[in-house]
Amino acid sequence: MELRHFLQFKDLSRDELEYLFARTRVIKDRFKRYEPYHPLNDRSLAMIFEKSSTRTRLSFEAGMQQLGGAAIYLNTRDTQLGRGEPVEDAAEVISRMVDLVMIRTFEQDIIERFAKHSRVPVINGLTNEYHPCQILADIYTYIEQRGPIAGKTVAWIGDSNNMCNTWLQAAEVLDFNVHVSTPPGYEVEPERAGLFGTDHFESFADPMDACRDADLVTTDVWTSMGFEAENAVRMEAFADWCVDSEMMAVAAKDALFMHCLPAHRGEEVEAAVIDGPQSVVWEEAANRLHAQKALMEFLLLGFVHE
Ligand code: CP
Ligand code: NVA
């Protein structure tokens, strides 16, 4: 089987993504019925974390176990990677011992270098630039709640960070639109976002304008992991980019609200929104488990036709 990685969202084609969303449904339904499903019996996943995590670690570890395999947690503090072992050497070794690797790290370049030297599929569990597994779960959640996402409008409010970049890539692959509103100085950098340039996004100075008629409103923390030194400056710059009830009121009547979590109520989102009736954040978080099980199955076994 051809070696495939999931380092950024556009590594999968539209057809493959549509297959994965359908497969997520099957795997989730089976899980809900308590039916054992162990296609990855005897396979193992190494999870390498250079940054903190609750959802990513748990969903990969539980997911691998539920598919019949095992997951091994490594963090940089306790491994030789933290003491300067070249990432290429680590990839050569680790990929001779497990079937699959998931990495959460800083620059995208680190995971790209690892993948170049890996004999097994590598999954991006978040980098400074991208968070493709989260967007897989988010789009699955949208489809589950509202049907196809093609042609819909997603409003992104706040920082043009890893989540924003990945939404923008996804829009190009799956043919929907993203309305982005960031404070001045924090605008999208199309090259860093890795866009094909198919013009599926529009920038708005005023977040209210970005939210108008949107089918989905979404945001994320003002200060991502790795950018903590900028926190005080960001707090001031982002003050008007808090998703509130007024923004939700100008979105489409049946608009959803999503947040990858962890969230800061009173900063990037008002409590009334994240805890309100349009919010699907718990479903979104839970779908990390199901979408990533479909992803791991695909990377190790290819298309499964039952
Ligand atoms: N959304 C997300 O990736 O959460 P964690 O940082 O807890 O993994
Ligand atoms: N943008 C956030 C996402 C956390 C899941 C960060 O990178 O810290």
Side-chain angles (χ1 to χ4, degrees):
M1 216 180 106
E2 187 201 352
L3 177 59
R4 296 288 300 273
H5 304 296
F6 190 47
L7 306 181
Q8 42 184 311
F9 199 84
K10 65 184 184 188
D11 286 347
L12 296 177
S13 69
R14 185 172 180 166
D15 284 351
E16 288 167 338
L17 288 160
E18 277 165 7
Y19 162 81
L20 275 191
F21 296 135
R23 196 64 199 151
T24 300
R25 176 83 259 159
V26 171
I27 289 173
K28 180 173 179 177
D29 286 348
R30 191 171 276 160
F31 177 74
K32 294 279 181 192
R33 291 194 303 266
Y34 298 97
E35 268 176 48
Y37 178 55
H38 296 154
L40 303 186
N41 191 25
D42 280 341
R43 307 288 184 112
S44 40
L45 163 76
M47 307 184 296
I48 304 170
F49 283 92
E50 291 209 75
K51 292 175 177 171
S52 304
S53 170
T54 298
R55 280 145 288 268
T56 303
R57 176 178 176 180
L58 190 56
S59 52
F60 271 105
E61 191 161 339
M64 195 60 184
Q65 189 182 321
Q66 289 158 17
L67 293 174
I72 299 153
Y73 173 80
L74 302 164
N75 70 48
T76 357
R77 281 187 308 280
D78 305 334
T79 61
Q80 300 290 4
L81 270 169
R83 299 180 59 250
E85 180 168 16
V87 72
E88 291 81 2
D89 293 2
E92 294 285 353
V93 174
I94 292 169
S95 70
R96 282 173 165 80
M97 296 186 182
V98 296
D99 302 282
L100 190 57
V101 178
M102 192 281 310
I103 307 180
R104 168 168 286 195
T105 186
F106 292 90
E107 290 78 28
Q108 180 72 11
D109 176 59
I110 298 172
I111 198 168
E112 303 274 352
R113 281 162 50 210
F114 190 105
K116 270 203 186 79
H117 289 260
S118 175
R119 299 158 70 109
V120 301
V122 178
I123 299 172
N124 182 344
L126 181 146
T127 56
N128 290 351
E129 287 83 356
Y130 307 119
H131 197 1
C133 292
Q134 181 70 52
I135 300 301
L136 210 53
D138 291 8
I139 294 176
Y140 174 76
T141 306
Y142 185 85
I143 295 169
E144 193 175 48
Q145 301 273 339
R146 294 284 184 268
I149 197 163
K152 301 291 182 184
T153 298
V154 174
W156 176 268
I157 307 302
D159 192 16
S160 63
N161 62 12
N162 41 15
M163 283 290 298
C164 176
N165 288 342
T166 312
W167 270 114
L168 293 169
Q169 276 199 5
E172 292 193 330
V173 181
L174 295 171
D175 196 21
F176 59 91
N177 305 301
V178 185
H179 287 180
V180 179
S181 181
T182 67
Y186 295 91
E187 291 89 357
V188 171
E189 296 170 51
E191 202 172 313
R192 186 171 158 85
L195 304 185
F196 292 126
T198 51
D199 211 15
H200 281 64
F201 91 92
E202 204 176 328
S203 299
F204 294 83
D206 184 340
M208 285 291 276
D209 292 334
C211 290
R212 215 171 298 285
D213 300 322
D215 300 290
L216 166 62
V217 177
T218 185
T219 186
D220 186 15
V221 292
W222 290 341
T223 306
S224 285
M225 293 181 280
F227 296 83
E228 289 79 2
E230 300 174 14
N231 196 44
V233 178
R234 284 171 169 266
M235 286 291 169
E236 238 173 81
F238 284 79
D240 293 335
W241 276 262
C242 170
V243 176
D244 57 19
S245 310
E246 287 75 51
M247 292 185 197
M248 292 307 294
V250 299
K253 241 198 185 66
D254 67 344
L256 298 174
F257 172 78
M258 289 190 196
H259 188 310
C260 65
L261 306 175
H264 300 75
R265 289 170 177 75
E267 291 182 20
E268 74 273 9
V269 60
E270 198 180 73
V273 170
I274 193 168
D275 299 320
Q278 288 166 286
S279 172
V280 290
V281 294
W282 310 135
E283 292 85 346
E284 178 189 1
N287 282 333
R288 292 289 302 277
L289 175 69
H290 311 298
Q292 289 162 195
K293 283 163 81 173
L295 174 69
M296 291 192 286
E297 183 192 61
F298 177 69
L299 292 176
L300 288 176
L301 305 180
F303 292 98
V304 172
H305 301 288
E306 293 182 280

PDB file of all heavy atoms in Angstrom, residues 30-53:
ATOM      1  N   ARG A  30     -21.404   2.138  15.137  1.00  0.00           N
ATOM      2  CA  ARG A  30     -21.011   0.844  15.689  1.00  0.00           C
ATOM      3  C   ARG A  30     -20.589   1.008  17.164  1.00  0.00           C
ATOM      4  O   ARG A  30     -20.949   0.220  18.022  1.00  0.00           O
ATOM      5  CB  ARG A  30     -19.849   0.310  14.850  1.00  0.00           C
ATOM      6  CG  ARG A  30     -19.499  -1.094  15.109  1.00  0.00           C
ATOM      7  CD  ARG A  30     -18.504  -1.547  14.068  1.00  0.00           C
ATOM      8  NE  ARG A  30     -19.136  -1.972  12.837  1.00  0.00           N
ATOM      9  CZ  ARG A  30     -18.526  -2.051  11.660  1.00  0.00           C
ATOM     10  NH1 ARG A  30     -17.266  -1.716  11.526  1.00  0.00           N
ATOM     11  NH2 ARG A  30     -19.155  -2.476  10.600  1.00  0.00           N
ATOM     12  N   PHE A  31     -19.825   2.051  17.430  1.00  0.00           N
ATOM     13  CA  PHE A  31     -19.362   2.352  18.797  1.00  0.00           C
ATOM     14  C   PHE A  31     -20.560   2.617  19.705  1.00  0.00           C
ATOM     15  O   PHE A  31     -20.633   2.132  20.834  1.00  0.00           O
ATOM     16  CB  PHE A  31     -18.445   3.579  18.720  1.00  0.00           C
ATOM     17  CG  PHE A  31     -17.937   4.076  20.037  1.00  0.00           C
ATOM     18  CD1 PHE A  31     -16.943   3.390  20.725  1.00  0.00           C
ATOM     19  CD2 PHE A  31     -18.425   5.264  20.584  1.00  0.00           C
ATOM     20  CE1 PHE A  31     -16.444   3.864  21.932  1.00  0.00           C
ATOM     21  CE2 PHE A  31     -17.932   5.745  21.786  1.00  0.00           C
ATOM     22  CZ  PHE A  31     -16.939   5.045  22.459  1.00  0.00           C
ATOM     23  N   LYS A  32     -21.538   3.362  19.185  1.00  0.00           N
ATOM     24  CA  LYS A  32     -22.733   3.703  19.980  1.00  0.00           C
ATOM     25  C   LYS A  32     -23.557   2.459  20.302  1.00  0.00           C
ATOM     26  O   LYS A  32     -24.278   2.425  21.290  1.00  0.00           O
ATOM     27  CB  LYS A  32     -23.611   4.713  19.219  1.00  0.00           C
ATOM     28  CG  LYS A  32     -22.959   6.068  19.041  1.00  0.00           C
ATOM     29  CD  LYS A  32     -23.111   6.873  20.303  1.00  0.00           C
ATOM     30  CE  LYS A  32     -22.478   8.251  20.158  1.00  0.00           C
ATOM     31  NZ  LYS A  32     -22.347   8.972  21.411  1.00  0.00           N
ATOM     32  N   ARG A  33     -23.453   1.461  19.428  1.00  0.00           N
ATOM     33  CA  ARG A  33     -24.192   0.206  19.678  1.00  0.00           C
ATOM     34  C   ARG A  33     -23.360  -0.780  20.507  1.00  0.00           C
ATOM     35  O   ARG A  33     -23.759  -1.927  20.667  1.00  0.00           O
ATOM     36  CB  ARG A  33     -24.563  -0.464  18.344  1.00  0.00           C
ATOM     37  CG  ARG A  33     -25.614   0.281  17.535  1.00  0.00           C
ATOM     38  CD  ARG A  33     -26.174  -0.597  16.412  1.00  0.00           C
ATOM     39  NE  ARG A  33     -25.149  -1.082  15.505  1.00  0.00           N
ATOM     40  CZ  ARG A  33     -24.786  -0.482  14.359  1.00  0.00           C
ATOM     41  NH1 ARG A  33     -25.403   0.627  13.975  1.00  0.00           N
ATOM     42  NH2 ARG A  33     -23.841  -0.981  13.606  1.00  0.00           N
ATOM     43  N   TYR A  34     -22.207  -0.338  20.998  1.00  0.00           N
ATOM     44  CA  TYR A  34     -21.291  -1.184  21.792  1.00  0.00           C
ATOM     45  C   TYR A  34     -20.822  -2.405  21.015  1.00  0.00           C
ATOM     46  O   TYR A  34     -20.552  -3.445  21.591  1.00  0.00           O
ATOM     47  CB  TYR A  34     -21.943  -1.641  23.115  1.00  0.00           C
ATOM     48  CG  TYR A  34     -22.299  -0.514  24.037  1.00  0.00           C
ATOM     49  CD1 TYR A  34     -23.585  -0.009  24.064  1.00  0.00           C
ATOM     50  CD2 TYR A  34     -21.346   0.038  24.896  1.00  0.00           C
ATOM     51  CE1 TYR A  34     -23.932   1.039  24.913  1.00  0.00           C
ATOM     52  CE2 TYR A  34     -21.678   1.087  25.742  1.00  0.00           C
ATOM     53  CZ  TYR A  34     -22.970   1.580  25.753  1.00  0.00           C
ATOM     54  OH  TYR A  34     -23.294   2.609  26.583  1.00  0.00           O
ATOM     55  N   GLU A  35     -20.752  -2.282  19.678  1.00  0.00           N
ATOM     56  CA  GLU A  35     -20.282  -3.420  18.871  1.00  0.00           C
ATOM     57  C   GLU A  35     -18.769  -3.368  18.751  1.00  0.00           C
ATOM     58  O   GLU A  35     -18.235  -2.401  18.210  1.00  0.00           O
ATOM     59  CB  GLU A  35     -20.839  -3.299  17.446  1.00  0.00           C
ATOM     60  CG  GLU A  35     -22.128  -4.005  17.215  1.00  0.00           C
ATOM     61  CD  GLU A  35     -22.604  -3.717  15.786  1.00  0.00           C
ATOM     62  OE1 GLU A  35     -21.810  -3.842  14.828  1.00  0.00           O
ATOM     63  OE2 GLU A  35     -23.777  -3.345  15.652  1.00  0.00           O
ATOM     64  N   PRO A  36     -18.037  -4.368  19.205  1.00  0.00           N
ATOM     65  CA  PRO A  36     -16.582  -4.342  19.058  1.00  0.00           C
ATOM     66  C   PRO A  36     -16.188  -4.302  17.586  1.00  0.00           C
ATOM     67  O   PRO A  36     -16.841  -4.915  16.736  1.00  0.00           O
ATOM     68  CB  PRO A  36     -16.130  -5.662  19.705  1.00  0.00           C
ATOM     69  CG  PRO A  36     -17.292  -6.154  20.477  1.00  0.00           C
ATOM     70  CD  PRO A  36     -18.526  -5.596  19.834  1.00  0.00           C
ATOM     71  N   TYR A  37     -15.126  -3.547  17.289  1.00  0.00           N
ATOM     72  CA  TYR A  37     -14.615  -3.458  15.917  1.00  0.00           C
ATOM     73  C   TYR A  37     -13.102  -3.303  16.031  1.00  0.00           C
ATOM     74  O   TYR A  37     -12.618  -2.256  16.479  1.00  0.00           O
ATOM     75  CB  TYR A  37     -15.255  -2.258  15.203  1.00  0.00           C
ATOM     76  CG  TYR A  37     -14.751  -2.075  13.792  1.00  0.00           C
ATOM     77  CD1 TYR A  37     -14.819  -3.119  12.865  1.00  0.00           C
ATOM     78  CD2 TYR A  37     -14.194  -0.864  13.378  1.00  0.00           C
ATOM     79  CE1 TYR A  37     -14.336  -2.955  11.568  1.00  0.00           C
ATOM     80  CE2 TYR A  37     -13.718  -0.693  12.082  1.00  0.00           C
ATOM     81  CZ  TYR A  37     -13.797  -1.747  11.188  1.00  0.00           C
ATOM     82  OH  TYR A  37     -13.322  -1.582   9.910  1.00  0.00           O
ATOM     83  N   HIS A  38     -12.362  -4.344  15.682  1.00  0.00           N
ATOM     84  CA  HIS A  38     -10.915  -4.365  15.931  1.00  0.00           C
ATOM     85  C   HIS A  38     -10.078  -4.561  14.660  1.00  0.00           C
ATOM     86  O   HIS A  38      -9.258  -5.472  14.579  1.00  0.00           O
ATOM     87  CB  HIS A  38     -10.582  -5.480  16.936  1.00  0.00           C
ATOM     88  CG  HIS A  38     -11.177  -5.262  18.282  1.00  0.00           C
ATOM     89  ND1 HIS A  38     -11.464  -6.284  19.169  1.00  0.00           N
ATOM     90  CD2 HIS A  38     -11.552  -4.116  18.917  1.00  0.00           C
ATOM     91  CE1 HIS A  38     -11.989  -5.774  20.275  1.00  0.00           C
ATOM     92  NE2 HIS A  38     -12.054  -4.473  20.145  1.00  0.00           N
ATOM     93  N   PRO A  39     -10.252  -3.675  13.665  1.00  0.00           N
ATOM     94  CA  PRO A  39      -9.490  -3.854  12.418  1.00  0.00           C
ATOM     95  C   PRO A  39      -7.993  -3.587  12.599  1.00  0.00           C
ATOM     96  O   PRO A  39      -7.196  -3.996  11.759  1.00  0.00           O
ATOM     97  CB  PRO A  39     -10.101  -2.812  11.483  1.00  0.00           C
ATOM     98  CG  PRO A  39     -10.575  -1.736  12.403  1.00  0.00           C
ATOM     99  CD  PRO A  39     -11.061  -2.455  13.623  1.00  0.00           C
ATOM    100  N   LEU A  40      -7.602  -2.904  13.682  1.00  0.00           N
ATOM    101  CA  LEU A  40      -6.181  -2.575  13.879  1.00  0.00           C
ATOM    102  C   LEU A  40      -5.544  -3.433  14.975  1.00  0.00           C
ATOM    103  O   LEU A  40      -4.618  -2.989  15.672  1.00  0.00           O
ATOM    104  CB  LEU A  40      -6.005  -1.076  14.172  1.00  0.00           C
ATOM    105  CG  LEU A  40      -6.565  -0.130  13.104  1.00  0.00           C
ATOM    106  CD1 LEU A  40      -6.204   1.319  13.416  1.00  0.00           C
ATOM    107  CD2 LEU A  40      -6.087  -0.499  11.700  1.00  0.00           C
ATOM    108  N   ASN A  41      -6.058  -4.649  15.090  1.00  0.00           N
ATOM    109  CA  ASN A  41      -5.513  -5.610  16.043  1.00  0.00           C
ATOM    110  C   ASN A  41      -3.993  -5.727  15.864  1.00  0.00           C
ATOM    111  O   ASN A  41      -3.508  -5.880  14.737  1.00  0.00           O
ATOM    112  CB  ASN A  41      -6.193  -6.970  15.767  1.00  0.00           C
ATOM    113  CG  ASN A  41      -5.894  -7.963  16.850  1.00  0.00           C
ATOM    114  OD1 ASN A  41      -5.604  -7.577  17.980  1.00  0.00           O
ATOM    115  ND2 ASN A  41      -5.934  -9.236  16.507  1.00  0.00           N
ATOM    116  N   ASP A  42      -3.250  -5.638  16.945  1.00  0.00           N
ATOM    117  CA  ASP A  42      -1.782  -5.775  16.927  1.00  0.00           C
ATOM    118  C   ASP A  42      -1.033  -4.596  16.310  1.00  0.00           C
ATOM    119  O   ASP A  42       0.185  -4.653  16.169  1.00  0.00           O
ATOM    120  CB  ASP A  42      -1.338  -7.055  16.178  1.00  0.00           C
ATOM    121  CG  ASP A  42      -1.469  -8.286  17.052  1.00  0.00           C
ATOM    122  OD1 ASP A  42      -1.542  -8.114  18.277  1.00  0.00           O
ATOM    123  OD2 ASP A  42      -1.505  -9.398  16.492  1.00  0.00           O
ATOM    124  N   ARG A  43      -1.750  -3.537  15.921  1.00  0.00           N
ATOM    125  CA  ARG A  43      -1.045  -2.364  15.383  1.00  0.00           C
ATOM    126  C   ARG A  43      -0.766  -1.398  16.543  1.00  0.00           C
ATOM    127  O   ARG A  43      -1.526  -1.334  17.501  1.00  0.00           O
ATOM    128  CB  ARG A  43      -1.906  -1.627  14.346  1.00  0.00           C
ATOM    129  CG  ARG A  43      -2.442  -2.499  13.243  1.00  0.00           C
ATOM    130  CD  ARG A  43      -1.337  -2.908  12.271  1.00  0.00           C
ATOM    131  NE  ARG A  43      -1.930  -3.673  11.192  1.00  0.00           N
ATOM    132  CZ  ARG A  43      -1.995  -3.230   9.932  1.00  0.00           C
ATOM    133  NH1 ARG A  43      -1.511  -2.059   9.582  1.00  0.00           N
ATOM    134  NH2 ARG A  43      -2.554  -3.984   9.004  1.00  0.00           N
ATOM    135  N   SER A  44       0.309  -0.618  16.398  1.00  0.00           N
ATOM    136  CA  SER A  44       0.558   0.364  17.453  1.00  0.00           C
ATOM    137  C   SER A  44       0.823   1.754  16.904  1.00  0.00           C
ATOM    138  O   SER A  44       1.349   1.932  15.798  1.00  0.00           O
ATOM    139  CB  SER A  44       1.674  -0.093  18.387  1.00  0.00           C
ATOM    140  OG  SER A  44       2.688  -0.698  17.652  1.00  0.00           O
ATOM    141  N   LEU A  45       0.420   2.716  17.707  1.00  0.00           N
ATOM    142  CA  LEU A  45       0.527   4.139  17.384  1.00  0.00           C
ATOM    143  C   LEU A  45       1.453   4.794  18.394  1.00  0.00           C
ATOM    144  O   LEU A  45       1.259   4.624  19.600  1.00  0.00           O
ATOM    145  CB  LEU A  45      -0.880   4.775  17.491  1.00  0.00           C
ATOM    146  CG  LEU A  45      -0.945   6.303  17.594  1.00  0.00           C
ATOM    147  CD1 LEU A  45      -0.676   6.954  16.233  1.00  0.00           C
ATOM    148  CD2 LEU A  45      -2.334   6.742  18.087  1.00  0.00           C
ATOM    149  N   ALA A  46       2.458   5.536  17.920  1.00  0.00           N
ATOM    150  CA  ALA A  46       3.266   6.370  18.821  1.00  0.00           C
ATOM    151  C   ALA A  46       2.721   7.785  18.754  1.00  0.00           C
ATOM    152  O   ALA A  46       2.492   8.323  17.667  1.00  0.00           O
ATOM    153  CB  ALA A  46       4.729   6.357  18.404  1.00  0.00           C
ATOM    154  N   MET A  47       2.483   8.368  19.929  1.00  0.00           N
ATOM    155  CA  MET A  47       1.964   9.746  19.990  1.00  0.00           C
ATOM    156  C   MET A  47       3.053  10.607  20.627  1.00  0.00           C
ATOM    157  O   MET A  47       3.407  10.404  21.789  1.00  0.00           O
ATOM    158  CB  MET A  47       0.716   9.805  20.856  1.00  0.00           C
ATOM    159  CG  MET A  47      -0.373   8.817  20.461  1.00  0.00           C
ATOM    160  SD  MET A  47      -1.850   9.050  21.475  1.00  0.00           S
ATOM    161  CE  MET A  47      -1.222   8.631  23.090  1.00  0.00           C
ATOM    162  N   ILE A  48       3.581  11.560  19.853  1.00  0.00           N
ATOM    163  CA  ILE A  48       4.681  12.400  20.338  1.00  0.00           C
ATOM    164  C   ILE A  48       4.137  13.804  20.606  1.00  0.00           C
ATOM    165  O   ILE A  48       3.642  14.462  19.682  1.00  0.00           O
ATOM    166  CB  ILE A  48       5.815  12.480  19.291  1.00  0.00           C
ATOM    167  CG1 ILE A  48       6.291  11.057  18.929  1.00  0.00           C
ATOM    168  CG2 ILE A  48       6.963  13.339  19.794  1.00  0.00           C
ATOM    169  CD1 ILE A  48       7.235  11.018  17.735  1.00  0.00           C
ATOM    170  N   PHE A  49       4.220  14.226  21.847  1.00  0.00           N
ATOM    171  CA  PHE A  49       3.690  15.544  22.219  1.00  0.00           C
ATOM    172  C   PHE A  49       4.797  16.488  22.647  1.00  0.00           C
ATOM    173  O   PHE A  49       5.507  16.216  23.603  1.00  0.00           O
ATOM    174  CB  PHE A  49       2.670  15.404  23.356  1.00  0.00           C
ATOM    175  CG  PHE A  49       1.332  14.896  22.892  1.00  0.00           C
ATOM    176  CD1 PHE A  49       1.049  13.530  22.891  1.00  0.00           C
ATOM    177  CD2 PHE A  49       0.356  15.772  22.448  1.00  0.00           C
ATOM    178  CE1 PHE A  49      -0.186  13.066  22.447  1.00  0.00           C
ATOM    179  CE2 PHE A  49      -0.875  15.306  22.008  1.00  0.00           C
ATOM    180  CZ  PHE A  49      -1.152  13.950  22.009  1.00  0.00           C
ATOM    181  N   GLU A  50       4.889  17.621  21.933  1.00  0.00           N
ATOM    182  CA  GLU A  50       5.798  18.697  22.360  1.00  0.00           C
ATOM    183  C   GLU A  50       5.009  19.828  23.003  1.00  0.00           C
ATOM    184  O   GLU A  50       5.590  20.825  23.433  1.00  0.00           O
ATOM    185  CB  GLU A  50       6.572  19.246  21.157  1.00  0.00           C
ATOM    186  CG  GLU A  50       7.581  18.276  20.595  1.00  0.00           C
ATOM    187  CD  GLU A  50       8.758  18.994  19.958  1.00  0.00           C
ATOM    188  OE1 GLU A  50       9.610  19.507  20.691  1.00  0.00           O
ATOM    189  OE2 GLU A  50       8.803  19.029  18.716  1.00  0.00           O
ATOM    190  N   LYS A  51       3.657  19.695  22.980  1.00  0.00           N
ATOM    191  CA  LYS A  51       2.790  20.702  23.601  1.00  0.00           C
ATOM    192  C   LYS A  51       1.714  19.954  24.366  1.00  0.00           C
ATOM    193  O   LYS A  51       1.473  18.766  24.105  1.00  0.00           O
ATOM    194  CB  LYS A  51       2.104  21.555  22.514  1.00  0.00           C
ATOM    195  CG  LYS A  51       3.013  22.469  21.722  1.00  0.00           C
ATOM    196  CD  LYS A  51       2.204  23.149  20.615  1.00  0.00           C
ATOM    197  CE  LYS A  51       3.022  24.142  19.820  1.00  0.00           C
ATOM    198  NZ  LYS A  51       2.278  24.627  18.638  1.00  0.00           N
ATOM    199  N   SER A  52       1.019  20.655  25.264  1.00  0.00           N
ATOM    200  CA  SER A  52      -0.026  20.045  26.097  1.00  0.00           C
ATOM    201  C   SER A  52      -1.214  19.572  25.257  1.00  0.00           C
ATOM    202  O   SER A  52      -1.424  20.055  24.147  1.00  0.00           O
ATOM    203  CB  SER A  52      -0.556  21.068  27.097  1.00  0.00           C
ATOM    204  OG  SER A  52       0.496  21.574  27.851  1.00  0.00           O
ATOM    205  N   SER A  53      -2.010  18.679  25.831  1.00  0.00           N
ATOM    206  CA  SER A  53      -3.217  18.207  25.147  1.00  0.00           C
ATOM    207  C   SER A  53      -4.120  17.447  26.110  1.00  0.00           C
ATOM    208  O   SER A  53      -3.634  16.713  26.968  1.00  0.00           O
ATOM    209  CB  SER A  53      -2.852  17.267  23.998  1.00  0.00           C
ATOM    210  OG  SER A  53      -4.012  16.633  23.501  1.00  0.00           O
TER     211      SER A  53
END
